[in-house]
Amino acid sequence: MIAEAGLAALWLAGALALLQLVLTILALAQDRPELRAAIRPVAVVQGLLTALAMLALILVFARSDMSVLLVAENSHSMKPFLYKVAGAWGNHEGSMLLWVTILGIAGAAVAWFERRLDERTLIATLGAQAAIALGFFAFLLIASNPFARLDPPAAEGRGLNPLLQDPGLAFHPPTLYVGYVGLSVAFSFAVGALITRNVGPAFARAVRPWILGAWIFLTLGITAGSYWAYYELGWGGWWFWDPVENASLMPWLAATALLHSVSVLATRDGLRAWTVMLAVVAFSMSMIGTFLVRSGVLTSVHSFAVDPARGTFILVLLALYIGGALALFGARIGTVRAGNTFDPVSREAGLVVNNLLLSVILGIVLIGTLYPLVAQAFGVKLSVGKPFFDETVGPIALVLMAALAAGPLLRWRRDRLSALRDRMTVPIAVALLSVAGIAVFARGAGVLPTLGLGLAAGLAVASVAPLWRRALRRTPLFTYGMVLAHLGVAVSVAGMAAESAFTQEQLVAVHVGQPVDVGPFVVRLSGVRPTVGDNWSAIEGVLRVSPQDGGPDFTLRPQQRFFSAPPTVTSEAAIKTTLGGQLYTVLGEADGTGRRQLRLWWKPFVTLIWLGGGMIAAGGALSLIGRVRRERKAARREEEMGWA
């Protein structure tokens, strides 16, 4: 009955989405207060029902109910409990239900908490959110029912892809989806504002916390996914430019541009049309990413479905939502006032440069990801991989870093180039000294990594410069958030450049006891032994590692694991993290002569990549808290003045 209850909740939620949309149309067309008053409760109940449906799916997975087709195809009774629960979204149907659940909860949150928008714009926003949800409810109920029964029930399930049986993948999809779907709220706000012709600072201040929230979760999701791909897939590289990785990077690039654009609109009433367009683009990238991952047009180790029919359904939804929003944008753009202007040398101009560079990078990633698919449609098979993205995105990213360093040091509305030059003297000097030092003491590091390290050092100094000579206790929390986020970018870039410049690799076949030098370590294979886990068996290599600086020895145990359901062999890397970087070890096959293959990497400062990602997200969280606190104080002041 749990599955039937989940399906019933899903149908009811879909019906309420339809009701919410109809009520919105009527409320906007007719001046009837009772219709407007009904929309908020409908949105809240719709969100609760979708959450109930998701809970029902988690329960049937946790109970290993093999009478549910989805459970039988994607789970196994012997799986650890965590992966039984995570199995609920580790497949196509479940992940789409998770998407709709977050969408419903986001709509309910807007209905419950949002009080800053004028009533007509809020109603139009909830109507847009209902229209998005309605399409996905139809997709689930018509093409991807997660509660379909299996008659007779299976005796045992087929199991979950072992690559997905990892704590990182248990939490990564929900985090990423909150970011994806959070951008739907920004999209709905933009559509609502276009419908009521109410694009202005009040709209920007209302939508900014939602964009910030989505951006924080996207940042966390991408950072966690990057680290998972690094250690679980055994690629040994931190970013592979895999199409599914790109599918999550594109919305983040658009959301980052939107976050800066909406600040200009909220603070200086500029970039009105551009901000609305970016809100549409950001959600479009989420939809395109969903289409790429779910349609089966991509070949990737972590794409889910291979189903052109369902991909076509999502493509139709994408065309309806994005095409409709662009048509509305075209029809209403003439009624959106231009907003305030600003000088070419100003913080607004700096943010425009930031937006343009992010947009160029987004365009390159989009073209590089889609081009092989377009070529394949014309019978040409080709691939676009890491060399293309490194060579095209890398130089633009360095220019973006320079703009990122200068932007916060500019004044709003009008500034002088000479004043900016004076403020940038120390960051530029630090960057030049860093480049010179690397060129002298680390020859062969490569041009891009050397420039990246130098710019990272300069950006780090420029990031904290806004705090110079300020009363730190009276400095707004969102200023600290900006500083921390920009500093996090510098830390991440330093990690990327260091990993690219200084990584050492050894691919060897060794006898037991034979030493191998890699970085500051000597590694010896002590032996190979069998071991077992909850639902796998493995061959485990025992590696004795001696630091060359005389530090204490330690042991690493990389494995080759064998899963029976489904039959799969995986490589589990063993990693030692130190302050200076990571020693990354992978156990290979025996070569038939008594030797065992080993792959060893020493990656200096690679952990800075993910530390920086965490700092960026933490900076976003500080900004969000600071903005919300300031808005509440302003609301209280207005209320008190009204009483007076």
Side-chain angles (χ1 to χ4, degrees):
M1 290 300 293
I2 295 175
E4 283 70 25
L7 186 59
L10 203 55
W11 273 103
L12 285 173
L16 286 180
L18 177 61
L19 175 63
Q20 186 178 327
L21 180 59
V22 172
L23 286 174
T24 299
I25 294 171
L26 293 176
L28 291 175
Q30 305 171 11
D31 187 19
R32 294 171 59 184
E34 70 275 15
L35 294 180
R36 296 197 297 271
I39 292 173
R40 284 180 188 260
V42 169
V44 172
V45 175
Q46 184 207 137
L48 292 175
L49 285 170
T50 52
L52 187 63
M54 189 69 222
L55 179 62
L57 188 66
I58 291 173
L59 283 176
V60 295
F61 268 87
R63 292 160 57 100
S64 296
D65 184 350
M66 298 302 167
S67 69
V68 176
L69 178 62
L70 193 64
V71 179
E73 290 183 340
N74 297 281
S75 190
H76 193 283
S77 61
M78 298 301 292
K79 274 197 316 184
F81 183 76
L82 174 64
Y83 303 130
K84 285 185 181 178
V85 173
W89 53 79
N91 56 79
H92 171 75
E93 290 83 354
S95 66
M96 293 310 297
L97 178 56
L98 178 63
W99 173 288
V100 173
T101 301
I102 297 172
L103 191 68
I105 292 173
V110 172
W112 188 271
F113 293 110
E114 185 53 56
R115 294 290 184 273
R116 289 158 293 187
L117 279 179
D118 72 88
E119 190 179 32
R120 279 180 59 80
T121 304
L122 176 62
I123 288 172
T125 299
L126 291 175
Q129 195 73 5
I132 297 171
L134 193 59
F136 281 97
F137 279 125
F139 177 68
L140 274 172
L141 294 169
I142 296 172
S144 297
N145 177 12
F147 297 105
R149 287 288 190 183
L150 183 64
D151 188 18
E156 188 49 274
R158 296 178 186 171
L160 178 68
N161 182 350
L163 287 175
L164 304 181
Q165 295 183 38
D166 179 86
L169 255 288
F171 300 105
H172 164 61
T175 308
L176 200 60
Y177 277 21
V178 172
Y180 272 164
V181 181
L183 293 178
S184 76
V185 177
F187 174 84
S188 298
F189 269 77
V191 171
L194 282 173
I195 290 174
T196 58
R197 299 179 175 85
N198 193 12
V199 180
F203 154 77
R205 285 192 287 272
V207 74
R208 183 163 52 186
W210 300 97
I211 299 170
L212 255 174
W215 183 81
I216 291 167
F217 278 96
L218 261 180
T219 305
L220 288 173
I222 290 173
T223 302
S226 164
Y227 192 60
W228 170 80
Y230 169 77
Y231 73 81
E232 180 63 24
L233 297 182
W235 292 340
W238 52 273
W239 194 262
F240 204 69
W241 293 105
D242 180 85
V244 175
E245 287 180 324
N246 294 348
S248 64
L249 178 62
M250 290 186 290
W252 185 85
L253 290 168
T256 304
L258 173 61
L259 196 56
H260 290 87
S261 173
V262 82
S263 291
V264 176
L265 179 54
T267 309
R268 298 295 164 183
D269 194 14
L271 303 180
R272 290 186 172 197
W274 177 247
T275 301
V276 172
M277 174 57 84
L278 275 179
V280 175
V281 169
F283 184 58
S284 303
M285 292 300 108
S286 292
M287 290 290 294
I288 289 174
T290 303
F291 166 72
L292 292 175
V293 177
R294 309 293 168 212
S295 63
V297 300
L298 289 179
T299 301
S300 168
V301 292
H302 48 311
S303 63
F304 281 138
V306 182
D307 189 339
R310 296 187 218 184
T312 304
F313 202 122
I314 296 175
L315 193 62
V316 171
L317 290 181
L318 192 154
L320 284 174
Y321 295 146
I322 308 309
L326 290 177
L328 179 64
F329 182 81
R332 292 293 170 86
I333 188 60
T335 66
V336 176
R337 289 198 300 113
N340 292 330
T341 58
F342 45 84
D343 278 10
V345 182
S346 62
R347 184 175 292 190
E348 291 94 325
L351 291 172
V352 169
V353 172
N354 156 296
N355 268 223
L356 292 175
L357 291 170
L358 283 168
S359 299
V360 171
I361 294 174
L362 170 60
I364 292 172
V365 177
L366 181 64
I367 291 170
T369 304
L370 295 183
Y371 184 60
L373 303 177
V374 175
Q376 190 173 359
F378 291 93
V380 179
K381 284 193 175 181
L382 54 85
S383 63
V384 177
K386 193 172 185 301
F388 166 80
F389 290 108
D390 285 349
E391 291 173 11
T392 53
V393 172
I396 301 171
L398 294 181
V399 178
L400 177 62
M401 286 184 63
L404 193 62
L409 301 181
L410 285 162
R411 300 190 190 285
W412 289 106
R413 203 179 297 281
R414 183 179 298 113
D415 206 343
R416 291 177 296 110
L417 271 178
S418 57
L420 176 63
R421 183 195 57 210
D422 293 343
R423 293 176 208 131
M424 286 291 292
T425 299
V426 175
I428 290 173
V430 169
L432 292 176
L433 285 173
S434 300
V435 170
I438 296 164
V440 172
F441 297 108
R443 292 183 180 179
V447 176
L448 276 181
T450 300
L451 291 175
L453 285 166
L455 278 171
L459 176 57
V461 174
S463 297
V464 298
L467 299 178
W468 180 249
R469 293 180 178 173
R470 292 189 69 148
L472 297 181
R473 294 185 63 180
R474 299 181 63 183
T475 300
L477 200 55
F478 52 78
T479 301
Y480 283 109
M482 177 193 70
V483 168
L484 184 60
H486 287 190
L487 192 57
V489 174
V491 170
S492 270
V493 171
M496 296 173 196
E499 194 273 346
S500 301
F502 306 124
T503 289
Q504 298 178 37
E505 179 182 6
Q506 290 279 9
L507 177 58
V508 294
V510 296
H511 292 286
V512 171
Q514 181 179 342
V516 181
D517 289 349
V518 56
F521 300 101
V522 178
V523 181
R524 289 181 175 83
L525 177 65
S526 298
V528 177
R529 67 183 189 183
T531 186
V532 295
D534 292 330
N535 60 339
W536 48 263
S537 60
I539 296 296
E540 181 177 271
V542 181
L543 303 180
R544 194 66 181 164
V545 184
S546 304
Q548 298 190 22
D549 63 1
D553 290 1
F554 56 89
T555 301
L556 292 177
R557 303 176 189 278
Q559 297 175 343
Q560 282 193 319
R561 288 185 183 175
F562 307 93
F563 292 81
S564 58
T568 309
V569 179
T570 65
S571 289
E572 301 296 323
I575 300 172
K576 175 67 175 180
T577 301
T578 70
L579 285 177
Q582 285 190 331
L583 176 63
Y584 187 112
T585 65
V586 177
L587 181 68
E589 301 289 338
D591 67 358
T593 64
R595 298 187 303 175
R596 175 69 67 166
Q597 292 180 350
L598 293 178
R599 193 157 198 167
L600 312 172
W601 281 279
W602 166 241
K603 294 177 171 293
F605 304 110
V606 67
T607 47
L608 293 182
I609 296 170
W610 304 292
L611 172 64
M615 291 172 64
I616 295 169
L622 283 182
S623 295
L624 178 60
I625 295 169
R627 294 290 180 192
V628 170
R629 285 173 58 181
R630 170 167 282 198
E631 291 291 329
R632 285 184 176 175
K633 283 182 182 177
R636 277 200 298 271
R637 277 199 300 271
E638 289 175 6
E639 197 170 302
E640 289 167 2
M641 290 176 67
W643 288 347

